[in-house]
Amino acid sequence: MTEVSRTDDGFHVFDTTLRDGAQREGINLTVADKLAIARHLDEFGVGFIEGGWPGANPRDTEFFARAADELDLRHAQLVAFGATRRAGGRAADDPQLAALVNSGAPVVTLVAKSHDRHVELALRTTLDENLEMVRDSVAYLRAEGRRVFIDCEHFFDGYKANRDYALAVVRAAHEAGADVVVLCDTNGGMLPAGVCDIVADVLAATGARLGIHAQDDTGCAVANTLAAVDAGATHVQCTANGYGERVGNANLFPVVGALEIKYDRRVLPAGSLAEMTRISHAIAELVNLTPSTHQPYVGHSAFAHKAGLHASAIKVDPDLYQHIAPETVGNTMRMLVSDMAGRASVELKGKELGYDLSTDRDLAGRVVAKVKEQENLGYTYESADASFELLLRDEVRGSRERFYTLESWRTISEQGPNGFTGNEATVKLWAKGERRIATGEGNGPVDALDKALRTALDRIYPQLAELELVDYKVRILEGQHGTGSKTRVLIESTDGTAAWSTVGVADNVVAASWLALEDAYTYGLLRAGLEPAE
């Protein structure tokens, strides 16, 4: 294998989602998942992808075997993770190190003890032997043509306990040929000022190229990573969306966003930054976790504005309340309409939806008043854009757009002799001059209503075959009384090309669901290009 130059890359973005990130509670990746995530990370443009610990478990061993045939990495190098040789042995005879070589990965990360108490209590060996384990392991892998990074586990705690020994571990790794010595805040207890001071001291005392691996137990992993960069670290270890053990690791996306935008460092290929939001959400889907809506840069709410004061300023210049243009990272600005909304919020939201309200102050005022009136009843439009657009269209038109006229609906839930509960709904309505009566059975009364309404309308509006309800949320509104409380229902629907949300509020869950269903159907038919019957 051709040896990689140790001086041809000035700054490393190192991703460990497939190893450290996979230790998050609730994440259980298959080999196929890991391969798919690796492709996304490579597309994003990280420099190194740590794939796991070959030889330690069958899944990681299989990953490296399949990666050789199935991964065609354009930007990243694959990294195998392992540990220094066992105490009292020889690196050349160590089966774990042999597995790292056999993985075929061009880069190896070795975890090494740098805290004196961990050496003596966990490894049960001497401080001198631990240094020799580092030297021997690095030298062996270098001789096998591998590039070597050393993760100094518990480094910051070890530095505080015994600075001289922690520095001795860094020197041993550096002098043996490790390309980067990574200082790990394994317990996640550090704060930025302390990280900056220690990294600067280690750099001055050893001359080694330094990296940073920060856990987020104090909520400072991203800040600690950037503090280490400020002090001279040129290698950052992160995970996508901050996944990791306990509360997680330094989040790849805010770290890279800060480096590219705030530090003006080109750490990604040209054009990759604009893919950040898409990559973040794609990886979230693969690990089967809902993307965090409030994540910096890439969250759905990262550039969402609700307060009327903000909207007034944004109407003049979006930069007044945004630290970057959302498009820089592939995100979008959103205006949220709520009882906090002023005229500027409504005008901006209207513009976003294709309505120019700036020339009709009376109309904008009516919409603002209607929103505040409805939200006082329990409605929320910041999570129901489709219902807001229908409200806006109603005010523009002066009346409700309807594809049918409801006569009545009812639901029946019954208990059978064997404990089975049946749910049936009947809907009576008029559409295009025709009276329609339909029934539906479902898993619950709302499902039955949906099926009955669809049956009543499907012959007249065949476009409803594309409509699907994909999410359903119920909330009992605060300030009410027990079982007599008002209920708010949010429904998310899709036609296969776009998704939208609608809201209904009533004294019971079925009535609230009906209102949200009506909005969902109306909006879906409008999207299909149909004209209302009335």
Side-chain angles (χ1 to χ4, degrees):
M1 181 173 293
T2 303
E3 183 171 330
V4 180
S5 168
R6 296 171 62 196
T7 59
D8 63 355
D9 45 357
F11 196 95
H12 295 169
V13 175
F14 180 110
D15 182 272
T16 181
T17 304
L18 302 183
R19 185 191 66 81
D20 225 15
Q23 295 182 48
R24 170 172 165 151
E25 185 177 7
I27 290 181
N28 186 24
L29 301 178
T30 65
V31 174
D33 292 334
K34 295 182 71 162
L35 291 167
I37 291 170
R39 292 186 187 99
H40 283 304
L41 292 169
D42 180 59
E43 182 183 4
F44 186 48
V46 302
F48 300 90
I49 299 172
E50 191 170 63
W53 191 329
N57 62 76
R59 186 177 303 174
D60 284 358
T61 301
E62 181 185 348
F63 168 78
F64 282 96
R66 290 179 58 181
D69 296 326
E70 299 179 34
L71 285 184
D72 183 18
L73 301 178
R74 294 181 300 141
H75 303 295
Q77 289 186 296
L78 202 59
V79 182
F81 177 86
T84 55
R85 68 156 171 83
R86 292 186 177 92
R90 294 174 62 247
D93 300 327
D94 192 283
Q96 290 189 67
L97 295 180
L100 296 176
V101 173
N102 293 335
S103 73
V107 184
V108 171
T109 297
L110 290 178
V111 62
K113 299 293 185 184
S114 55
H115 190 312
D116 56 359
R117 293 186 68 243
H118 280 264
V119 172
E120 295 171 336
L121 298 179
L123 289 182
R124 297 183 180 180
T125 191
T126 66
L127 301 185
D128 287 341
E129 171 63 5
N130 181 59
L131 295 177
E132 187 54 34
M133 291 159 61
V134 171
R135 294 188 191 99
D136 190 19
S137 301
V138 173
Y140 167 74
L141 290 169
R142 291 286 294 163
E144 291 291 329
R146 299 312 191 264
R147 192 174 193 181
V148 183
F149 303 152
I150 287 285
D151 279 0
C152 287
E153 190 181 39
H154 295 283
F155 181 83
F156 292 93
D157 296 329
Y159 175 97
K160 292 178 181 179
N162 186 338
R163 174 182 177 273
D164 290 343
Y165 187 73
L167 292 177
V169 175
V170 174
R171 291 192 185 97
H174 175 57
E175 291 167 2
D179 287 33
V180 180
V181 181
V182 182
L183 311 184
C184 300
D185 183 20
T186 308
N187 289 344
M190 291 296 294
L191 298 176
V195 169
C196 193
D197 289 345
I198 292 173
V199 171
D201 180 50
V202 175
L203 187 63
T206 67
R209 181 175 185 178
L210 299 181
I212 179 70
H213 178 114
Q215 300 293 131
D216 201 33
D217 297 74
T218 60
C220 292
V222 170
N224 285 342
T225 299
L226 296 175
V229 172
D230 289 335
T234 57
H235 170 113
V236 293
Q237 294 194 358
C238 309
T239 61
N241 300 319
Y243 301 142
E245 195 169 21
R246 303 188 307 277
V247 299
N249 290 40
N251 190 332
L252 172 68
F253 303 115
V255 168
V256 168
L259 291 170
E260 283 267 340
I261 300 168
K262 310 299 183 178
Y263 284 56
D264 199 27
R265 287 180 182 261
R266 301 283 76 82
V267 298
L268 296 176
S272 292
L273 191 63
E275 299 298 314
M276 191 155 79
T277 298
R278 180 182 64 81
I279 296 291
S280 166
H281 293 186
I283 292 174
E285 290 296 328
L286 284 166
V287 303
N288 200 28
L289 291 174
T290 303
S292 171
T293 58
H294 293 87
Q295 186 177 169
Y297 294 97
V298 300
H300 188 56
S301 299
F303 301 96
H305 303 276
K306 184 172 180 177
L309 178 63
H310 288 208
S312 298
I314 286 170
K315 186 179 176 183
V316 177
D317 182 353
D319 290 344
L320 292 175
Y321 273 97
Q322 293 183 157
H323 71 112
I324 62 168
E327 296 76 15
T328 305
V329 293
N331 211 333
T332 56
M333 184 182 78
R334 296 168 53 240
M335 294 305 304
L336 306 179
V337 176
S338 73
D339 58 358
M340 295 182 181
R343 184 174 279 104
S345 296
V346 168
E347 288 181 11
L348 285 169
K349 186 63 179 180
K351 183 178 180 181
E352 182 183 316
L353 297 173
Y355 299 89
D356 184 4
L357 305 180
S358 61
T359 59
D360 192 335
R361 292 180 59 83
D362 288 342
L363 174 59
R366 291 200 307 273
V367 174
V368 170
K370 185 66 174 180
V371 167
K372 292 185 177 182
E373 174 189 331
Q374 290 292 94
E375 294 227 346
N376 189 51
L377 296 175
Y379 281 79
T380 176
Y381 292 104
E382 63 183 74
S383 301
D385 277 1
S387 286
F388 173 73
E389 184 170 350
L390 293 176
L391 180 154
L392 179 57
R393 291 174 67 104
D394 292 348
E395 292 299 323
V396 170
R397 190 171 184 261
S399 62
R400 181 66 164 175
E401 296 176 295
R402 298 190 184 280
F403 288 91
Y404 60 86
T405 300
L406 178 69
E407 185 176 308
S408 67
W409 62 261
R410 69 177 180 181
T411 61
I412 300 172
S413 297
E414 58 181 345
Q415 183 83 13
N418 298 319
F420 171 76
T421 300
N423 296 280
E424 181 182 294
T426 302
V427 172
K428 301 177 182 180
L429 54 80
W430 290 82
K432 292 187 176 181
E434 181 180 344
R435 187 172 188 256
R436 300 281 293 165
I437 301 175
T439 60
E441 293 182 337
N443 294 328
V446 178
D447 185 38
L449 266 181
D450 177 35
K451 290 177 178 175
L453 181 57
R454 189 180 298 268
T455 301
L457 296 174
D458 59 3
R459 184 175 59 79
I460 299 172
Y461 300 115
Q463 295 83 355
L464 288 175
E466 304 298 323
L467 181 66
E468 181 183 1
L469 308 185
V470 294
D471 199 9
Y472 176 84
K473 296 183 177 71
V474 178
R475 180 176 174 185
I476 305 301
L477 300 180
E478 297 176 2
Q480 306 295 326
H481 298 288
T483 56
S485 301
K486 276 194 173 183
T487 303
R488 178 165 65 221
V489 168
L490 286 166
I491 289 177
E492 184 178 352
S493 308
T494 182
D495 57 7
T497 59
W500 60 91
S501 295
T502 53
V503 61
V505 174
D507 291 334
N508 68 76
V509 66
V510 181
S513 300
W514 173 262
L515 295 173
L517 273 175
E518 281 200 304
D519 274 9
Y521 275 61
T522 299
Y523 189 82
L525 292 172
L526 288 171
R527 271 188 52 82
L530 300 183
E531 289 294 325
E534 299 182 12

